[in-house]
């Protein structure tokens, strides 16, 4: 597998996104067995979707194409070190490996600074910037109990 070729594909997507004005300078491809099965660019502003980062878009496309939520056996190439959301999506999708171009420090230099999130996540809930309060746990736990007992669930 030619890693540089796939990384260049992700970089080309990031540059095209800048040229087209359709989102931030980020591109990603998901590859399985030497074939691109998903590609994405940052579409946050064009899709009005704060979750439409390049990696997430590429993962969604790969999952749709393969008709699965499990991307074991796949690799992601992304033009920038994944943000916390994208890194989580990569882990949830069970990708085997990550290759990236720019660093989070490079991203911060052009006002894409995820450092706040990296500092926010480990804080106790009561100390986070967005007030968070548990509500109706006794009622919401019923769905968890039903899931635990379900014989038709698909574990993931």
């Amino acid at each position: 597998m030619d890693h540089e070729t796939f990384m260049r594909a992700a970089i080309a997507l990031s540059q095209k996104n800048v040229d087209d004005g359709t989102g931030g300078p980020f591109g990603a491809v998901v590859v399985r067995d030497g074939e691109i099965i998903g590609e994405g660019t940052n579409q946050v502003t064009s899709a009005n979707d704060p979750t439409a980062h390049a990696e997430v878009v590429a993962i969604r496309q790969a999952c749709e194409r393969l008709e699965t939520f499990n991307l074991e056996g796949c690799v992601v190439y992304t033009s920038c070190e994944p943000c916390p959301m994208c890194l989580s999506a990569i882990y949830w999708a069970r990708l085997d490996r990550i290759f990236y171009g720019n660093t989070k420090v490079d991203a911060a230099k052009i006002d894409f600074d995820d450092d706040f999130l990296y500092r926010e996540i480990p804080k106790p809930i009561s100390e986070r910037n967005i007030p968070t309060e548990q509500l109706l746990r006794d009622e919401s736990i019923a769905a968890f109990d039903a899931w635990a007992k379900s014989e038709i669930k698909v574990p993931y």
Side-chain angles (χ1 to χ4, degrees), residues 43-120:
Q43 300 171 14
V44 170
T45 57
S46 58
N48 294 318
D49 180 353
T51 69
H53 289 200
E55 297 91 336
V56 172
V57 172
I59 288 169
R60 288 174 181 162
Q61 190 179 94
C63 288
E64 184 175 336
R65 182 170 177 193
L66 297 178
E67 298 180 339
T68 183
F69 55 83
N70 185 332
L71 296 178
E72 287 177 293
C74 299
V75 176
V76 65
Y77 297 82
T78 178
S79 64
C80 187
E81 183 177 357
C83 74
M85 178 184 69
C86 293
L87 185 60
S88 296
I90 289 165
Y91 273 91
W92 282 117
R94 295 172 176 81
L95 289 151
D96 290 357
R97 194 166 181 183
I98 303 166
F99 291 92
Y100 68 94
N102 296 309
T103 67
K104 62 184 179 181
V105 173
D106 298 327
K109 289 178 183 175
I110 59 167
D111 297 325
F112 289 96
D113 191 357
D114 299 324
D115 189 54
F116 165 76
L117 292 171
Y118 284 106
R119 290 191 323 265
E120 190 76 0

